[in-house]
Amino acid sequence: ELVVIVGSNSVMGKALCQEFLNRGSYVCALDNENGNISGELKKYKNNFNFYKTEIANEIDLQIKSQQMIKDFKLNPYVWINNLGISKVEQFENILSEDFDHIIDTNIKGTIYGTRTALSVMKNPERGHIMNISSVNGSVAMPFMSSSVAAKHAVDGFTRSLQMEKKFKHSAIKIHLVSPGFAKNIMPLAKETFALPKIFDFLKSSAESTAKEIVRGLILNRDEITPTISGKLVLGITKYIPGATQLGSRILVAKNWKELMGLNPIEMRQ
């Protein structure tokens, strides 16, 4: 089967490419720049191709999708929108252009990628579209207002499209993926969120996260929550909404007074 991964240069994107290639799939990787992914995966050259693409540009996505079909003589069966950039900053200090870039990439990139995928999963209509969101699509996080807003939009869009396809009895399945903490998946500003070492066991590797995502796909789950921390965060907040604020304090507090709410918390510089 032909698998398309949009946003292939991230740690998570590369891990997904590797996982599908190890399973014998043909993989098309799309991103704004090559990022040496072709070199890292050169041993799979017969099953892998990279396409430099403006991933938030629907016309370019459409052009590259047609090129992929021509190159592999297959229509995509799995299309993964792995688009996640973030800006760690107090809301009033975020530049408008930074906010726009996050919205364009996370939201528009996911929407345009999904629409492109739907246009090529035809004759016959079949396939799986996976939108990689985050636990931030369901909970709030201080100093990450832009990415939290974007991920909430991705969650809402994906769940709405799931309903549409189910109502139409479509053979195209839509999946929402919400990872939690993982090692090096989305690098943040230096030490902005320093998860205490006691919680290191909650950090999953990109490779294990990719395996969980593929397992969820095979089981045809509507919503996939890879990583221990993702399951823990969404499970706790479902029954104890206020736990989100406590968890955020643990992440950003620099001392016990900030943790207890005795001193105000400012973003670390």
Side-chain angles (χ1 to χ4, degrees), residues 244-257:
T244 304
Q245 189 172 132
L246 175 59
S248 296
R249 280 190 176 277
I250 292 173
L251 282 175
V252 301
K254 299 185 289 295
N255 53 59
W256 70 271
K257 288 187 177 181

Side-chain angles (χ1 to χ4, degrees), residues 13-243:
K14 291 177 183 177
L16 284 166
C17 288
Q18 185 81 59
E19 181 63 23
F20 279 104
L21 287 166
N22 287 341
R23 291 172 176 267
S25 299
Y26 297 104
V27 172
C28 295
L30 281 67
D31 216 317
N32 294 317
E33 298 293 339
N34 188 298
N36 197 38
I37 190 170
S38 296
E40 293 177 32
L41 300 176
K42 63 182 178 181
K43 68 177 180 178
Y44 299 101
K45 62 181 180 180
N46 293 330
N47 284 29
F48 173 81
N49 212 348
F50 174 82
Y51 299 84
K52 184 176 179 180
T53 311
E54 291 184 44
I55 56 179
N57 183 312
E58 187 172 9
I59 294 174
D60 202 27
L61 284 166
Q62 291 283 354
I63 292 170
K64 297 302 163 45
S65 68
Q66 294 304 315
Q67 184 62 50
M68 290 184 291
I69 293 170
K70 181 180 178 181
D71 291 344
F72 285 91
K73 297 179 174 55
L74 288 171
N75 282 9
Y77 182 63
V78 177
W79 185 294
I80 301 177
N81 293 307
N82 175 48
L83 301 159
I85 61 171
S86 180
K87 179 73 174 179
V88 182
E89 183 59 271
Q90 296 179 103
F91 170 68
E92 58 267 35
N93 294 338
I94 299 176
L95 299 176
S96 296
E97 51 265 38
D98 288 338
F99 214 111
D100 288 345
H101 182 50
I102 289 166
I103 296 300
D104 285 346
T105 301
N106 292 6
I107 302 178
K108 292 182 179 179
T110 298
I111 291 171
Y112 296 156
T114 300
R115 190 149 57 187
T116 302
L118 290 172
S119 73
V120 294
M121 289 181 171
K122 294 180 178 178
N123 302 317
E125 181 187 78
R126 70 183 191 116
H128 297 265
I129 299 173
M130 309 185 79
N131 289 337
I132 309 291
S133 181
S134 160
V135 292
N136 283 347
S138 298
V139 300
M141 178 68 71
F143 310 123
M144 294 184 68
S145 57
S146 53
S147 59
V148 168
K151 290 303 184 183
H152 271 68
V154 169
D155 281 20
F157 163 71
T158 304
R159 289 178 176 135
S160 295
L161 186 57
Q162 280 177 344
M163 291 183 188
E164 286 185 28
K165 291 302 174 185
K166 286 183 178 180
F167 288 177
K168 293 177 65 176
H169 295 183
S170 173
I172 298 175
K173 307 299 181 184
I174 312 297
H175 309 268
L176 176 64
V177 183
S178 302
F181 298 112
K183 299 172 184 176
N184 301 321
I185 286 184
M186 187 183 287
L188 301 176
K190 183 180 179 181
E191 296 301 315
T192 301
F193 298 120
L195 192 66
K197 289 192 176 297
I198 193 174
F199 296 121
D200 275 356
F201 72 96
L202 293 176
K203 298 178 183 177
S204 302
S205 69
E207 292 74 20
S208 65
T209 304
K211 289 181 184 298
E212 282 195 72
I213 292 171
V214 175
R215 192 179 306 122
L217 171 65
I218 293 169
L219 295 173
N220 201 27
R221 292 175 177 159
D222 287 346
E223 300 202 10
I224 303 165
T225 308
T227 71
I228 296 171
S229 60
K231 294 179 178 68
L232 191 62
V233 168
L234 295 185
I236 291 174
T237 54
K238 180 178 179 180
Y239 299 102
I240 313 173

